[in-house]
Amino acid sequence: MASATPRPIVAGNWKMNGTSISLKEIRLLTGMLKGVRLKCDVMVCPPATLLSRVQGLTRSSRIRLGGQDCHDKVSGAHTGDVSADMLSDAGATAVIVGHSERRADHGETDAVVAAKAAAAHKSDLTAIVCIGETLAQRKAGETLRIIGAQLKKSLPASSTATNTVIAYEPVWAIGTGLTPTPAEIRAVHRHIRKGLLRIIGPKAGMRVPVLYGGSVKPGNAEELMAVEDVNGALVGGASLKAADFIGIIKAYT
Ligand code: PEP
């Protein structure tokens, strides 16, 4: 029988970073992971241009691959976009949708994010759905309301315990070196878990991993990953170097 506690995931989001030379970090990471007993899954989300090559290097390792975004259509006249099918074909088993940088840079609404997550599900990809409040919203005491609304509106009806991961990423913590306190993270994750029980159902909602993201580093990973209801991390900057990323993964050894 499947466990009610989600298996943690440590996922690295390379964002718009990485060319051929960065593949050495993947080689280093696969080497560092050999023989290590892990209590989490490890995922790397490189730019789409590197997916196939990273897939070649990680095929016989435990590293899973993810895309950073997908279009909500399978194919068509959408210059520059990548479909969930294309990501799957390149070796991805997951895709990040609704990252706050996509929401800010491309005006993606919760409805757009839900459509992208549904497209990911149709292509058998796990959708890593990102939600998070701005600093102004936190200061105004709006965090839980904003998070609850984003969660409800960003999850499509196709969401299940096996095809959905939530990443709670306070916008003000991304790339800033700032993090909420463990108590603040716990309060939001507990709220997200309650929302999942309502939206996905009491049993399935318990099994959806809820990651924390925002300035996770080797130095704070152990403390942040120990927070109740945190089931792993979505890591930006510190995932670019294997030596830093492994320092975060080690929170789960
Ligand atoms: C992110 O972009 O998803 C992220 C968490 O970035 P960073 O770890 O650099 O704050």
Side-chain angles (χ1 to χ4, degrees):
M1 216 169 68
S3 154
T5 310
R7 180 169 166 84
I9 303 167
V10 177
N13 171 16
W14 281 21
K15 312 192 186 193
M16 199 172 71
N17 296 295
T19 55
S20 313
I21 202 162
S22 321
L23 295 172
K24 74 172 189 301
E25 298 300 328
I26 298 293
R27 288 190 199 95
L28 284 170
L29 185 64
T30 52
M32 289 169 178
L33 287 173
K34 262 190 203 136
V36 178
R37 282 173 69 111
L38 285 181
K39 297 188 193 116
C40 69
D41 288 338
V42 175
M43 187 186 293
V44 177
C45 304
T49 47
L50 288 183
L51 262 179
S52 294
R53 293 171 75 187
V54 175
Q55 144 81 359
L57 292 174
T58 55
R59 197 172 291 146
S60 53
S61 79
R62 288 171 292 175
I63 301 172
R64 286 178 61 192
L65 280 195
Q68 297 179 12
D69 177 55
C70 66
H71 198 277
D72 66 345
K73 302 285 184 302
V74 176
S75 61
H78 302 287
T79 303
D81 279 316
V82 176
S83 75
D85 254 12
M86 291 168 177
L87 295 174
S88 169
D89 183 54
T93 58
V95 58
I96 299 168
V97 292
H99 191 283
S100 64
E101 287 154 13
R102 298 284 319 173
R103 291 177 187 259
D105 294 353
H106 301 272
E108 292 186 5
T109 60
D110 292 330
V112 168
V113 175
K116 290 182 173 208
H121 296 158
K122 264 195 206 136
S123 296
D124 287 331
L125 296 183
T126 297
I128 303 173
V129 180
C130 300
I131 54 178
E133 83 285 1
T134 63
L135 190 57
Q137 289 163 339
R138 175 160 283 273
K139 283 186 173 161
E142 296 261 272
T143 300
L144 296 187
R145 189 185 66 74
I146 294 289
I147 292 297
Q150 285 183 349
L151 184 71
K152 191 170 168 203
K153 293 186 201 155
S154 302
L155 287 181
S158 53
S159 304
T160 68
T162 51
N163 69 13
T164 302
V165 171
I166 305 299
Y168 166 54
E169 299 206 305
V171 178
W172 52 273
I174 294 178
T176 59
L178 303 172
T179 57
T181 65
E184 286 168 338
I185 295 174
R186 185 177 176 199
V188 176
H189 278 239
R190 185 178 285 177
H191 191 65
I192 292 172
R193 181 64 64 202
K194 279 190 193 154
L196 287 169
L197 301 185
R198 268 195 306 274
I199 299 164
I200 302 193
K203 273 198 185 146
M206 281 305 291
R207 303 199 334 258
V208 174
V210 183
L211 316 185
Y212 167 76
S215 297
V216 180
K217 311 269 180 245
N220 62 16
E222 213 165 305
E223 183 187 25
L224 298 178
M225 297 305 104
V227 174
E228 201 180 319
D229 278 326
V230 170
N231 313 121
L234 182 55
V235 184
S239 69
L240 294 172
K241 293 278 173 221
D244 293 334
F245 198 38
I246 194 81
I248 294 170
I249 294 166
K250 277 191 175 153
Y252 288 107
T253 53

